[in-house]
Amino acid sequence: MKRQTRQHWLAFGYLTPALTAIVLVTLIPAVYNFFIAFTNFGLFHYQSYEWVGLANFQEILSLDSPLLPVMGWTLAWTFLSSFVNVGLGFLVALMLTHPGLRERNLYRTLLIIPWALPGVLSIQMWHSILGADGFFNRMLQALGATTIPWLTHPGWARLSVIMVNAWLSFPYFMVVSIAAIQNIPSEVKEAAMMDGASSWQRFRWITLPMTRVLMLPLWITQVAFQFNNFNLIYLLTGGGPRLSMGDYYGATDIMVSYTFNLMREAQRYGLTSAFGVLTFLLTVGILLLSTSFTRAMKEGI
Amino acid sequence: MKKRIVLLLAVAVLTATFFGASLKVWTVYKEDMAAYQALTLSIEQFEANTGHSVDIVSIPDQTDMDSKMQIAAPTGMGPDVIATMPHDIIGKWANQGILLALNGKADMEPFFDSTIRAITYEGKMYGFPLSVESVGLVYNKAFVPTAPQTFEEMIPVMERMEQDGLYGLVFPSAEPYHMYGILSGFGGYIFGWENDAYNVQDIGMNNEGANEAIAYLKSFFERGLFPDSMRDRNTQHGFSTGTFEQGKAAFQINGPWVLAGLDAAGMDYGVAPIPVLPNGEYPHPFLGVQFIGISAYSKNTPAAIALAEFLTGKEQMASYALQTTLTPTRQDVLEDARIAQNEMIGAWAQQASLGTPMPNIPEMSAVWSAWSDALQVIYFDRGTISETLDELAETISEKIQIMRK
């Protein structure tokens, strides 16, 4: 008994450095952020600010606030881009595991490159490729076609962010999918072939169900990650283009990048923190929803 | 005799230790820049004169400097003196209480009025102006031997260049910062200035002058004298500096930062004030003032102020200007024989004497993006000038209301 207690204390001793770091850099800022969400702290109430209760949340939830349009795109972005990323990775994996494919390792190595490059750099590279007189538009001009406003027209910009994100993210899902596909026992496939199942039937009734268990949790983490994918949006379009004059948000702004713009332009830290709290609650909500969804799916197999 | 010297030295060292303060200076200039080296030279002189010791630290990024000041200054770990920062940060830092107000603590008489206005926020003065810059007219002497005095004089040159498949005047005309000179020359303004403070209720972005200014700029597009690349905010910068550097344009409206590229290209160019507009007025481009500020948390305020006064004194400012070719902010320095002989400083100083300080209030963050959007709407014919400018003024005042809540 005595020895056990001592071991407990020892365990805490070992954990102290990690716990201190977590408390200092995660817990305290989070609690502080939660606290100032209920104050009017901002550049014009900087040295003395006061408790304003739910006023910031009321302002965000009021009808003319940008919450709805920004939320709409955030959700569309989250689900579309996680679907495209995982789907593309899976599709490429299917092609790479096709028995008839030659030079498999060469393709696989080439396709992993986007994953190996540091994201911050490759996003900026895409920013210049898609620029008004970037590489793509120069190619189009050379071919005599009209240029495309990749990053400056709302629709094109939304397409561009999803495309670039897919380029950056699919290799990871490709690698995992290849492992999952190769894990399917070959007897099962052979048996299906012997029974005369078409390639679609083999895909639909063997490959898909037997990889789903592995792919679904990945998809959920993608959803949570894309919901807060600040780097891609901020570095590629800066959230722009704005839909109407001087808006705090643009066509590609998701909640986190919008919050950042608001913080920088309006400099109301209380209001911005309230947005942060809302984003946190939404992320948790989406995670809970999709976990229960996958649990249902797993049981359904 | 020898003993005496030793004694004197000992006394000097002792005084320095006991009475000399130790000051920390933060600068936005990088170690390899002429401005940094000039500052260091002056500071060494200050140390030798006063016995204070000064530590100079370079933080060569404005955003970085801003956040480091906010975090470090209140804890006492920040600098005593900031030398220098662009003046448009002053409103923010004054609100955050990290800059010392200098009223009654220093003599501001020698500085130009416009530079005093740049460092004044809500009636209080927050810094010593060290240098000033703005956009001006840069012209390629291969096409035009002398600077035009008026826009009327420029137009025939622009037409001739256009016929030769070249460009007359190039500049980022969709960029608020660069086009403000023309807007203000016609009588437009951002916020009114009353009793040593900006009145954000008084927005001059949609007055008659602003309407005329934009109509005037737009007429150049309609006459084919401005190419389409100047309409678009995404292409205007690269197009303007690029074509001018390649020797394809006669005039450019831009700041002293483009000159290094022209020197590298070996171009024979001149600098002059942006010419007089059809209404007989000079454009008043934005002035950017590099100021020396004192931290409100400094424990050595008298020594810090002494350093700032020394650096912005006649003697030091003159040698600083000569080493950096940055425009000085005092009349007596401009009259200094060595400065008066310097053609480049003279040209930029003449342009600076016509400029208006860029507002230093935090509310400016509500202005830039809306203004840029409005110019795109107008240049691409998605709205009429007067309606778009009215909407702009309204948007600005709405955004200010949100900020101030």
Side-chain angles (χ1 to χ4, degrees):
Chain A
M1 185 65 205
K2 207 177 173 186
R3 201 165 153 188
Q4 246 185 6
T5 349
R6 222 174 73 196
Q7 268 183 345
H8 277 307
W9 282 114
L10 209 61
F12 275 111
Y14 285 130
L15 282 174
T16 313
L19 283 178
T20 320
I22 290 173
V23 168
L24 283 179
V25 304
T26 311
L27 207 61
I28 292 180
V31 170
Y32 179 63
N33 177 78
F34 195 77
F35 163 71
I36 59 176
F38 296 92
T39 68
N40 64 359
F41 185 35
L43 190 56
F44 288 101
H45 304 277
Y46 193 84
Q47 280 156 311
S48 62
Y49 52 89
E50 51 205 45
W51 186 263
V52 293
L54 290 169
N56 289 325
F57 292 92
Q58 276 165 355
E59 194 174 334
I60 293 170
L61 296 172
S62 72
L63 278 178
D64 57 345
S65 106
L67 180 69
L68 274 181
V70 174
M71 259 309 280
W73 165 246
T74 309
L75 289 177
W77 150 263
T78 304
F79 288 100
L80 267 174
S81 66
S82 23
F83 181 76
V84 170
N85 296 353
V86 179
L88 188 66
F90 192 74
L91 202 72
V92 176
L94 275 181
M95 299 198 278
L96 284 178
T97 49
H98 191 278
L101 184 77
R102 291 177 187 202
E103 304 295 350
R104 176 166 321 175
N105 285 335
L106 175 72
Y107 291 129
R108 198 185 296 188
T109 316
L110 284 178
L111 287 168
I112 282 178
I113 289 178
W115 188 25
L117 292 171
V120 179
L121 295 184
S122 42
I123 298 169
Q124 278 169 328
M125 180 193 82
W126 275 104
H127 178 83
S128 95
I129 291 177
L130 297 172
D133 32 41
F135 177 71
F136 274 17
N137 276 348
R138 282 201 208 150
M139 293 274 282
L140 287 173
Q141 270 173 337
L143 295 169
T146 51
T147 58
I148 291 174
W150 297 104
L151 301 175
T152 49
H153 175 275
W156 281 109
R158 284 175 169 165
L159 191 72
S160 298
V161 286
I162 289 179
M163 259 170 29
V164 172
N165 197 21
W167 185 86
L168 284 168
S169 321
F170 88 90
Y172 173 69
F173 299 103
M174 178 189 82
V175 171
V176 180
S177 308
I178 288 175
I181 293 167
Q182 283 173 342
N183 249 343
I184 302 172
S186 52
E187 304 90 64
V188 184
K189 284 187 192 165
E190 278 159 20
M193 295 249 260
M194 297 284 273
D195 290 342
S198 69
S199 58
W200 164 251
Q201 280 172 323
R202 273 178 278 142
F203 169 73
R204 174 67 188 85
W205 301 106
I206 295 174
T207 315
L208 213 54
M210 295 194 83
T211 50
R212 190 154 60 187
V213 186
L214 208 75
M215 298 307 291
L216 277 176
L218 279 182
W219 195 73
I220 294 169
T221 49
Q222 256 301 278
V223 166
F225 177 75
Q226 297 305 344
F227 190 81
N228 288 322
N229 194 348
F230 175 82
N231 281 4
L232 184 100
I233 302 288
Y234 182 70
L235 291 174
L236 196 61
T237 60
R242 283 183 293 276
L243 297 166
S244 63
M245 191 189 292
D247 273 346
Y248 287 119
Y249 68 98
T252 57
D253 257 322
I254 54 175
M255 292 274 280
V256 274
S257 62
Y258 164 72
T259 310
F260 180 78
N261 292 345
L262 190 69
M263 198 267 296
R264 227 177 24 172
E265 273 200 43
Q267 311 199 48
R268 282 179 58 197
Y269 315 127
L271 182 70
T272 321
S273 299
F275 251 103
V277 170
L278 275 183
T279 312
F280 165 74
L281 293 177
L282 281 166
T283 316
V284 171
I286 287 176
L287 272 178
L288 286 177
L289 255 176
S290 33
T291 340
S292 64
F293 171 70
T294 30
R295 210 171 283 140
M297 290 282 278
K298 270 187 192 169
E299 279 157 12
I301 292 168
Chain B
M1 189 62 194
K2 234 180 190 175
K3 258 188 188 167
R4 230 183 182 170
I5 294 174
V6 172
L7 199 72
L8 270 174
L9 268 176
V11 169
V13 169
L14 277 177
T15 10
T17 344
F18 285 104
F19 302 102
S22 122
L23 291 173
K24 243 189 293 180
V25 175
W26 283 6
T27 178
V28 79
Y29 290 121
K30 241 189 187 145
E31 273 103 344
D32 57 0
M33 287 168 81
Y36 180 91
Q37 283 146 13
L39 269 178
T40 317
L41 279 181
S42 294
I43 285 174
E44 276 165 13
Q45 186 123 43
F46 176 78
E47 287 177 306
N49 289 357
T50 59
H52 297 318
S53 74
V54 182
D55 244 351
I56 175 161
V57 178
S58 164
I59 302 173
D61 178 277
Q62 288 172 34
T63 325
D64 201 22
M65 173 78 102
D66 181 20
S67 51
K68 285 204 163 78
M69 273 303 285
Q70 283 172 55
I71 295 163
T75 65
M77 289 163 81
D80 300 282
V81 178
I82 303 103
T84 63
M85 257 301 261
H87 82 272
D88 48 319
I89 196 78
I90 281 179
K92 186 176 183 198
W93 283 1
N95 265 307
Q96 291 172 333
I98 55 186
L99 274 183
L100 186 73
L102 300 167
N103 295 46
K105 294 192 174 75
D107 175 22
M108 293 290 174
E109 205 50 50
F111 303 107
F112 288 122
D113 285 346
S114 60
T115 63
I116 294 292
R117 181 164 144 188
I119 53 89
T120 302
Y121 178 70
E122 296 192 336
K124 289 185 186 151
M125 294 182 282
Y126 286 97
F128 298 83
L130 178 61
S131 70
V132 57
E133 68 186 7
S134 72
V135 297
L137 186 79
V138 185
Y139 59 98
N140 187 339
K141 287 186 177 166
F143 300 114
V144 271
T146 54
Q149 299 304 305
T150 64
F151 264 79
E152 300 300 320
E153 270 177 58
M154 267 165 88
I155 290 171
V157 183
M158 290 166 74
E159 282 166 346
R160 199 183 70 217
M161 297 289 288
E162 204 263 332
Q163 277 158 15
D164 294 347
L166 298 167
Y167 304 101
L169 170 65
V170 292
F171 77 107
S173 55
E175 184 64 57
Y177 176 80
H178 289 78
M179 60 75 67
Y180 178 76
I182 289 163
L183 183 97
S184 60
F186 278 99
Y189 55 89
I190 303 177
F191 301 122
W193 174 261
E194 294 154 23
N195 308 323
D196 285 348
Y198 288 98
N199 175 5
V200 295
Q201 313 298 333
D202 175 13
I203 297 174
M205 300 291 291
N206 57 339
N207 66 13
E208 206 180 312
N211 274 277
E212 276 174 46
I214 304 222
Y216 187 61
L217 278 174
K218 216 183 160 194
S219 72
F220 286 98
F221 286 109
E222 278 148 16
R223 293 163 67 179
L225 294 176
F226 282 177
D228 279 344
S229 305
M230 278 167 60
R231 280 182 214 263
D232 188 339
R233 60 178 160 206
N234 301 300
T235 51
Q236 53 173 353
H237 288 283
F239 172 82
S240 305
T241 44
T243 42
F244 195 84
E245 252 173 47
Q246 290 154 19
K248 289 183 190 162
F251 309 106
Q252 176 179 208
I253 295 175
N254 225 321
W257 48 88
V258 301
L259 301 184
L262 305 182
D263 289 331
M267 185 182 290
D268 187 14
Y269 61 84
V271 174
I274 310 173
V276 172
L277 294 164
N279 64 354
E281 287 287 326
Y282 269 110
H284 310 299
F286 276 138
L287 295 179
V289 171
Q290 293 283 341
F291 74 96
I292 301 183
I294 312 294
S295 165
Y297 296 93
S298 167
K299 292 187 182 73
N300 295 311
T301 314
I305 291 178
L307 173 61
E309 282 180 330
F310 178 77
L311 293 175
T312 53
K314 188 183 171 199
E315 197 71 22
Q316 296 305 318
M317 192 189 284
S319 61
Y320 181 81
L322 285 169
Q323 288 171 70
T324 58
T325 59
L326 292 171
T327 314
T329 54
R330 300 168 63 118
Q331 186 59 39
D332 51 1
V333 174
L334 273 185
E335 284 161 4
D336 181 306
R338 294 167 300 168
I339 302 275
Q341 277 163 17
N342 190 311
E343 207 177 303
M344 233 355 109
I345 295 181
W348 287 113
Q350 200 188 345
Q351 177 68 79
S353 71
L354 298 163
T356 333
M358 186 194 291
N360 58 13
I361 54 177
E363 283 90 339
M364 281 303 282
S365 74
V367 174
W368 297 114
S369 62
W371 185 358
S372 167
D373 288 351
L375 290 176
Q376 294 298 286
V377 170
I378 293 167
Y379 286 167
F380 286 99
D381 293 315
R382 292 198 299 261
T384 65
I385 296 177
S386 73
E387 276 168 23
T388 311
L389 290 182
D390 287 346
E391 196 191 329
L392 169 62
E394 208 175 297
T395 307
I396 292 173
S397 81
E398 271 167 24
K399 287 180 91 172
I400 289 173
Q401 269 172 25
I402 294 179
M403 270 185 96
R404 294 207 145 198
K405 216 180 248 177

